[in-house]
């Protein structure tokens, strides 16, 4: 089997992967003479392309801004503003520039737009009567030239600190591509750091939290690593490998992601991973790439060096048998990890393995499980519960389990354990729960909630409450009859707001979440901005508010249409 694998590998590797002058794995080359750095600062990053994040791969470079906001952001190349976006979380404020060379650049977390773009955004917000807007522009409306200042750097949206998020996308496919492949490199002479390795003894079973794992400590530095306790490791049958690895560059002390991992068997590559480019609808496949059960239980990013059959992300340019190795001889074999950053700095680790006699493995009781196939739609249905998992939402075959738990106080159904939270879902599945008869008058307020307190929403259909949910776990029905909370921070009836710049509130909801909010002064809609980090909702006074007495109204609605209102008169 090992010899056949080598022969197949040589053909496949030549077809799919090539190494360029940088000695890194790429499937194609990219132009290096078009784009400039978006900031005038020495390039330094707080986050790398493809870096491992909870539930997604990082889609760009996070350029550092000296822990402050307000640096000019430049257009990386000629083109036109094709999209502007303001959102509560995510990028906060973002600009998209489409370029004539087939690429689009993205600039996120900005503090403010250039005056021309600011006016376009402001007009759209008032037209849609919404703080959050996302709209496209025609090619001739807002042209830019390379070096033009389009914004100022910031800390908007779901950022962990001031920086500029920068992406280069393929305009046609919208795949995001590693910006350093376009020549926007970061000084880097530091090889990746290797940590724990993991050996997965798969046997004939699908990968799961029950897969036997063998963790082994690693020692070494400066690109050269070895097992902390050198030994020949016993393996048998179908086996796979994983590793923890991070990277640093010469311009920052941040621990970032690596660029590529190759796994070699006796000197021949059997698996390659490289963060060259990927599509956004594939990014949840990070949970198929990492050892997801280990991440949830120990918060360690073990990077599996094998591919689950249902994973479709385009970060695996080459593999044989998905990186799985069947050890069935008496020979000692050499396994080598080769880990690189995008500058070509390399770290490696070798270990020896040898087949042993198989152990007797206890099989699952078929009466307690239902086999869900990763490549088919799977359903479970009875008079109290329905689970529908669409095709391509599982990464591997699954011995699916479920059970009924006692009803919790204040709920309107039993608690249902839907498999367990250690198995990742690529997108969503449908969950239908039959409510108790006592819910009758509250049916329009019903939601499905998990035991972590996450509300999944829900609609009534054929006697069930149904919702699209992203994780397995324990679920039940509650009702939301409590309106959102409104806490004024600087206004009450009769307030003198003459020297104030803003009217500010904190708003929140205890279950289904905020659906909408609307502020009015003297009956006219005004723009309220909701800050993701502080959760402060505020209106900034503009020139239209004249001196004198005014009435301010705020209406906040949750996702079950419970409404709270605040009204106060003030003087300006």
């Amino acid at each position: 089997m090992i010899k056949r694998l080598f022969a197949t590998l040589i053909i496949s590797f030549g077809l799919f992967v090539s190494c360029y002058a940088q000695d890194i794995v790429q499937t194609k080359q990219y132009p290096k003479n078009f784009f400039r750095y978006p900031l005038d600062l020495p390039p330094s990053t707080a986050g790398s392309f493809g870096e491992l994040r909870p539930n997604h791969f990082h889609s760009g470079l996070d350029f550092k801004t000296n822990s402050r906001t307000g640096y000019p952001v430049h257009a990386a190349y000629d083109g036109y503003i094709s999209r502007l976006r303001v959102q509560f979380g995510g990028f906060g404020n973002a600009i998209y520039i489409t370029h004539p060379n087939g690429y689009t650049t993205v600039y996120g977390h900005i503090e403010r737009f250039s005056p021309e773009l600011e006016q376009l955004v402001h007009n759209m917000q008032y037209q849609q009567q919404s703080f959050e807007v996302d709209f496209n522009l025609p090619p001739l409306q807002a042209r830019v030239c390379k070096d033009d200042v389009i914004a100022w750097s910031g800390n908007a949206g779901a950022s962990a600190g001031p920086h500029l998020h920068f992406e280069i996308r393929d305009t046609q496919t919208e795949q995001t591509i590693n910006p350093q492949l376009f020549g926007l490199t970061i000084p880097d002479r530091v090889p990746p750091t290797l940590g724990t390795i993991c050996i997965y003894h798969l046997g004939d079973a699908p990968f799961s939290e029950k897969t036997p794992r063998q963790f082994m400590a690693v020692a070494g530095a400066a690109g050269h690593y070895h097992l902390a306790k050198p030994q020949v490791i016993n393996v048998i049958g179908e086996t796979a490998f994983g590793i923890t690895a991070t990277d640093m560059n010469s311009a920052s002390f941040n621990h970032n992601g690596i660029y590529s991992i190759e796994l070699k068997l006796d000197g021949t590559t059997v698996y390659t991973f490289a963060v060259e480019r990927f599509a956004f609808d594939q990014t949840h496949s990070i949970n198929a790439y990492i050892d997801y059960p280990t991440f949830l239980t120990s918060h360690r990013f073990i990077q599996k060096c094998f591919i689950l059959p249902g994973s479709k992300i385009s970060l695996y340019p080459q593999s044989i048998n998905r990186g799985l190795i069947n050890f069935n001889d008496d020979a000692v074999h050499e396994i080598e990890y080769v880990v690189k950053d995008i500058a070509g700095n390399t770290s490696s680790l070798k270990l020896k393995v040898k087949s042993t006699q198989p152990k007797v493995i206890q099989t699952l009781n078929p009466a307690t499980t239902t086999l869900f196939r990763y490549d088919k739609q799977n359903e479970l249905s009875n008079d109290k519960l329905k689970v529908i998992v669409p095709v391509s939402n599982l990464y591997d075959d699954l011995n699916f389990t479920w059970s009924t738990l006692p009803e919790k106080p204040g709920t309107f159904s039993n608690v249902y354990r839907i498999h367990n939270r250690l198995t990742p879902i690529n997108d969503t599945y449908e969950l239908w729960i039959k409510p108790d008869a006592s819910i009758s008058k509250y049916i329009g307020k019903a939601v499905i909630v998990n035991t972590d307190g996450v509300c999944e929403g829900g609609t009534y259909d054929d006697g069930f409450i149904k919702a699209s949910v992203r994780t397995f776990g324990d679920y039940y029905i509650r009702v939301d009859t409590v309106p959102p909370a409104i806490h004024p921070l600087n206004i009450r009836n009769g307030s003198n707001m003459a020297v104030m710049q803003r009217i500010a509130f904190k708003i929140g909801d205890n279950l289904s979440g905020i659906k909408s909010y609307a502020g009015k002064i003297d009956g006219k809609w005004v723009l309220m901005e909701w800050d993701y980090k502080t959760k402060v909702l505020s209106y900034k006074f503009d020139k239209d508010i004249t001196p004198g007495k005014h009435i301010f109204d705020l209406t906040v609605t949750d996702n079950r249409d419970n409404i709270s209102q605040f009204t106060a008169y003030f003087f300006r």
Side-chain angles (χ1 to χ4, degrees):
M1 189 277 177
I2 299 291
K3 290 182 179 178
R4 290 201 306 273
L5 183 149
F6 284 175
T8 309
L9 175 64
I10 292 169
I11 297 172
S12 299
F13 195 79
L15 286 173
F16 293 103
V17 182
S18 57
C19 295
Y20 297 127
Q22 293 171 292
D23 194 28
I24 62 170
V25 177
Q26 293 179 242
T27 60
K28 63 177 293 185
Q29 286 186 313
Y30 302 92
K32 294 181 171 59
N33 57 348
F34 283 102
F35 298 112
R36 60 154 289 170
Y37 295 95
L39 299 169
D40 291 326
L41 300 171
S44 176
T45 54
S48 61
F49 182 86
E51 188 172 290
L52 308 181
R53 303 284 177 89
N55 294 314
H56 69 284
F57 291 98
H58 189 233
S59 59
L61 290 180
D62 284 346
F63 285 104
K64 286 189 165 188
T65 56
N66 295 327
S67 300
R68 49 165 285 196
T69 65
Y71 287 101
V73 177
H74 299 273
Y77 188 59
D78 301 342
Y80 70 94
I81 307 294
S82 54
R83 181 181 176 191
L84 294 169
R85 186 175 188 183
V86 176
Q87 61 186 136
F88 173 60
F91 290 156
N93 303 317
I95 298 173
Y96 298 71
I97 302 178
T98 297
H99 305 283
N101 60 359
Y103 299 100
T104 296
T105 51
V106 183
Y107 312 76
H109 304 303
I110 59 179
E111 182 176 58
R112 65 186 190 277
F113 301 97
S114 68
E116 298 83 0
L117 301 183
E118 190 76 47
Q119 189 62 53
L120 290 172
V121 170
H122 187 267
N123 292 345
M124 185 61 70
Q125 288 172 320
Y126 270 83
Q127 179 182 324
Q128 297 184 2
Q129 293 196 353
S130 173
F131 165 63
E132 293 192 276
V133 291
D134 185 0
F135 60 100
N136 297 321
L137 284 73
L140 299 179
Q141 183 171 359
R143 290 184 173 182
V144 293
C145 295
K146 186 176 184 178
D147 300 326
D148 284 354
V149 175
I150 57 172
W152 284 265
S153 67
N155 189 26
S159 60
H163 70 276
L164 176 68
H165 177 91
F166 178 76
E167 297 178 9
I168 300 179
R169 299 183 184 181
D170 183 308
T171 301
Q172 184 174 6
T173 66
E174 294 192 8
Q175 286 190 339
T176 185
I177 308 169
N178 198 318
Q180 294 203 61
L181 298 175
F182 292 84
L184 300 181
T185 57
I186 310 298
D188 188 354
R189 294 186 177 181
V190 184
T193 299
L194 308 187
T196 304
I197 68 163
C198 184
I199 302 171
Y200 299 92
H201 303 281
L202 293 165
D204 297 323
F207 172 79
S208 73
E209 74 281 0
K210 296 180 181 179
T211 299
R213 292 159 169 79
Q214 189 174 358
F215 296 102
M216 309 196 75
V218 167
H224 304 286
Y225 290 86
H226 55 84
L227 293 180
K229 295 181 179 180
Q231 59 186 286
V232 176
I233 303 166
N234 293 327
V235 294
I236 182 64
E238 195 162 73
T239 305
F241 298 85
I243 192 169
T244 61
T246 59
D247 188 47
M248 294 176 62
N249 57 52
S250 301
S252 169
F253 291 106
N254 289 71
H255 290 272
N256 299 147
I258 52 89
Y259 178 76
S260 68
I261 299 177
E262 296 174 69
L263 185 73
K264 296 184 177 184
L265 170 65
D266 296 330
T268 305
T269 304
V270 297
Y271 163 93
T272 304
F273 167 87
V275 287
E276 179 181 350
R277 60 190 292 160
F278 63 88
F280 285 93
D281 62 0
Q282 301 172 338
T283 192
H284 286 148
S285 291
I286 188 174
N287 293 330
Y289 171 63
I290 65 171
D291 183 339
Y292 187 71
T294 297
F295 173 71
L296 288 189
T297 55
S298 68
H299 304 290
R300 287 190 295 177
F301 276 120
I302 303 288
Q303 301 178 62
K304 301 201 310 289
C305 298
F306 63 101
I307 306 168
L308 298 185
S311 178
K312 306 301 182 185
I313 197 164
S314 56
L315 297 178
Y316 305 114
Q318 173 273 334
S319 74
I320 294 300
N321 194 33
R322 299 185 287 110
L324 305 175
I325 304 172
N326 191 5
F327 292 99
N328 54 11
D329 57 22
D330 295 327
V332 174
H333 296 282
E334 182 181 79
I335 297 295
E336 182 180 12
Y337 299 88
V338 179
V339 183
K340 295 184 180 183
D341 61 26
I342 198 165
N345 301 302
T346 304
S347 294
S348 63
L349 180 151
K350 295 180 179 180
L351 55 95
K352 302 291 186 181
V353 299
K354 186 179 186 300
S355 295
T356 59
Q357 292 299 316
K359 296 180 180 180
V360 177
I361 300 175
Q362 184 177 0
T363 59
L364 292 167
N365 181 355
T368 65
T369 65
T370 301
L371 181 61
F372 277 14
R373 298 287 188 183
Y374 76 89
D375 57 351
K376 299 182 182 300
Q377 176 164 301
N378 299 277
E379 298 186 18
L380 171 76
S381 180
N382 58 44
D383 61 344
K384 297 287 187 181
L385 178 71
K386 297 180 185 179
V387 176
I388 304 173
V389 183
V391 65
S392 300
N393 262 2
L394 296 176
Y395 296 119
D396 205 343
D397 291 343
L398 175 66
N399 291 304
F400 179 81
T401 64
W402 72 279
S403 60
T404 304
L405 305 179
E407 191 166 323
K408 295 165 65 73
T411 66
F412 289 82
S413 72
N414 289 319
V415 178
Y416 294 97
R417 177 156 293 169
I418 311 301
H419 198 66
N420 65 64
R421 68 187 185 95
L422 301 178
T423 298
I425 298 291
N426 184 55
D427 192 4
T428 62
Y429 67 96
E430 289 186 27
L431 177 60
W432 300 51
I433 298 178
K434 187 87 168 181
D436 297 342
S438 59
I439 202 173
S440 56
K441 68 177 182 179
Y442 299 115
I443 200 70
K445 304 293 186 181
V447 292
I448 292 178
V449 180
N450 70 22
T451 50
D452 291 329
V454 176
C455 177
E456 302 288 358
T459 57
Y460 183 74
D461 189 341
D462 195 24
F464 287 78
I465 304 299
K466 69 174 184 179
S468 295
V469 300
R470 285 194 174 275
T471 61
F472 292 135
D474 297 351
Y475 291 92
Y476 55 92
I477 294 173
R478 287 183 60 186
V479 297
D480 184 0
T481 59
V482 179
I486 299 176
H487 301 288
L489 299 181
N490 64 349
I491 185 174
R492 60 182 181 178
N493 257 336
S495 291
N496 185 342
M497 308 293 288
V499 297
M500 296 291 184
Q501 294 184 333
R502 295 177 180 269
I503 299 175
F505 301 84
K506 280 202 172 184
I507 61 174
D509 188 73
N510 71 334
L511 187 53
S512 62
I514 301 294
K515 180 172 76 173
S516 66
Y517 52 86
K520 293 183 178 181
I521 294 181
D522 301 330
K524 181 181 178 181
W525 186 88
V526 293
L527 177 62
M528 304 285 295
E529 300 181 9
W530 197 11
D531 185 86
Y532 181 83
K533 298 178 185 63
T534 64
K535 304 300 186 286
V536 170
L537 178 70
S538 64
Y539 161 71
K540 183 178 181 181
F541 284 109
D542 59 34
K543 63 180 183 302
D544 294 334
I545 307 303
T546 58
K549 182 179 178 180
H550 301 276
I551 295 178
F552 180 87
D553 293 295
L554 175 63
T555 302
V556 183
T557 306
D558 70 16
N559 283 297
R560 281 298 168 264
D561 293 324
N562 302 299
I563 298 174
S564 290
Q565 292 182 300
F566 172 89
T567 300
Y569 68 89
F570 67 93
F571 296 93
R572 184 69 176 160

